[in-house]
Amino acid sequence: MAKQTINVGTNQDDGTGDLLRAAFLKVNENFTELGGTLLSNIRLIDSTISTDTSNSNLIIETSGTGKLQISGTAEITGNTSITGTLDVSSSTALASTLAVTGNSTLAALGATNITASGTLGVTGTSSLGVLNVSGASA
């Protein structure tokens, strides 16, 4: 359904606009189209998207073969799970633990080294570029 615009008439109370009932039906249908109560647990404040439901996941899901694309400098805080392919096309700094499960290829893009200063856990078959390790390694 496309957005429905309320006809407000040409002048106040001139009888050329939508009747009150018809106008509010359009309002209700527009909100239903947006998701109605599905949006009630999502907050958008300034440039932050969050959920106000305690211990709840915030899921961003694309349709079909669509991709979630983040451009510019981005910061993801908290525990993050990525299911599917993670393509990184520029410099990336990891400030905590990176755990890779399954087949993976880690190669420094546009550089010659991969430097891990925290914990790097790899389970499965992985292909690594040059890996700099400081401290103990197993």
Side-chain angles (χ1 to χ4, degrees):
M1 173 192 93
K3 178 180 90 170
Q4 298 185 53
T5 303
I6 298 169
N7 180 354
V8 295
T10 23
N11 293 310
Q12 181 177 345
D13 300 325
D14 67 358
T16 60
D18 285 338
L19 297 175
L20 193 58
R21 177 174 167 70
F24 276 99
L25 284 172
K26 288 180 180 180
V27 168
N28 287 342
E29 289 172 4
N30 284 337
F31 276 107
T32 299
E33 178 72 11
L34 288 174
T37 60
L38 296 177
L39 297 176
S40 65
N41 296 326
I42 303 291
R43 286 188 186 174
L44 178 58
I45 300 173
D46 295 325
S47 60
T48 301
I49 301 171
S50 61
T51 176
D52 57 6
T53 304
S54 180
N55 300 321
S56 179
N57 294 332
L58 184 61
I59 300 169
I60 301 172
E61 186 174 1
T62 60
S63 180
T65 59
K67 294 181 179 181
L68 172 64
Q69 294 181 306
I70 301 171
S71 59
T73 302
E75 181 177 328
I76 300 173
T77 59
N79 295 332
T80 304
S81 173
I82 298 174
T83 303
T85 301
L86 172 63
D87 293 323
V88 179
S89 60
S90 66
S91 298
T92 302
L94 300 172
S96 187
T97 301
L98 171 64
V100 179
T101 303
N103 296 335
S104 60
T105 301
L106 298 176
L109 301 169
T112 57
N113 300 317
I114 297 172
T115 302
S117 58
T119 301
L120 174 64
V122 180
T123 305
T125 303
S126 296
S127 172
L128 302 174
V130 175
L131 179 63
N132 296 323
V133 179
S134 60
S137 62

